[in-house]
Amino acid sequence: MAADFSEETATEAVIASFADTSDPRLRELLTVLVRHLHGFVREVEPTLAEWRSAIDFLTATGQKCDPARQEFILLSDVLGVSMLVEMINSRKSEQATDSTVLGPFHVVESPPRALGETIDLVGTGEACLVTGRVLSVDGRPLPGGAVDVWQANNHGFYDVQQPSEQPAHNGRGLFETDKDGRFWFRTVVPSPYPIPTDGPVGELLLKTRRHPNRPAHIHFIVDAEGHVPVTTHIFVADSRYLESDAVFAVKRSLIRDFVTVDDPEEATRYGLASPFRHAHFEIVLEAVATPGHP
Ligand SMILES: [Fe+2]
């Protein structure tokens, strides 16, 4: 094989080397990977220095990762790959809630909390009530559903980014929908934030004159028995960067007004001071297809 390894035969030779892979999917992935990777190299014809710098970049990306920092997810996010994979894996009926990226900050389990509890353990920021319902596509409310939420604080940081300033689990909560499929919790209005720029992905953005910011949002993963879980966000309607999210995750259907409510009675009902901001999110899940009922 080695004697014949030339520019002309390189791609087919490497693909052939995987011919005995017993897992057909792995064989397919490697075959297509080699084809595209070689195609890329043939097109750009990198110098040895450029090849070395690409290796250094990927090495630095891996070395930046730790249990609280996922630089490879960031890289996938800023290249639009995370959104593409998410969309390919969540083609569904129009009624079902759109999905969007998981992002790099769902790195700890959200603590279970009672309905109405606050996820803001610091007490700064503009008070906010989030209410919603989890429904099946046929309109049926889904009781006992899991609503996992996480968000940045009002300065744009997640708890794991500021372990000395924010208590663990600040901005996180795992709620269970009531008998009518409803959920509600208190929090603060999230703020836009830059994705971390102190690593190789930040350098990439700097060199390409891209800003690192994401519009203000709250993350959700919602799951209910017999249904397909959805990973999504709600975006704050008047937030900056809705038109230029650094990770390409905004969908119109996920933008919500965080309306100001000046109603002392309503505020008392939810344990808030008036005025407060309120966002509502109806989450529609697709039923798991059962054999014979696609
Ligand atoms: Fe986020």
Side-chain angles (χ1 to χ4, degrees), residues 105 150-152 158 193 214 217 219 233:
F105 292 115
W150 67 104
Q151 70 167 75
Y158 288 83
Y193 65 80
R214 301 213 56 212
H217 58 273
H219 293 264
H233 304 357

Side-chain angles (χ1 to χ4, degrees), residues 37-116:
L37 196 55
H38 284 216
F40 171 81
V41 170
R42 288 174 195 284
E43 186 173 340
V44 301
E45 298 193 333
T47 63
L48 287 171
E50 286 171 336
W51 174 81
R52 180 71 218 190
S53 122
I55 297 287
D56 289 346
F57 177 80
L58 292 174
T59 304
T61 301
Q63 286 170 341
K64 194 70 190 168
C65 295
D66 64 34
R69 175 72 177 264
Q70 231 309 346
E71 193 77 357
F72 268 112
I73 293 184
L74 272 189
L75 181 58
S76 168
D77 288 352
V78 302
L79 293 177
V81 174
S82 305
M83 263 313 266
L84 196 52
V85 172
E86 183 59 43
M87 289 185 292
I88 287 168
N89 281 278
S90 56
R91 294 177 185 132
K92 50 192 168 192
S93 63
E94 280 200 1
Q95 304 100 299
T97 295
D98 279 331
S99 56
T100 190
V101 293
L102 174 69
F105 292 115
H106 192 251
V107 288
V108 292
E109 291 295 309
S110 297
R113 300 194 195 279
L115 289 170

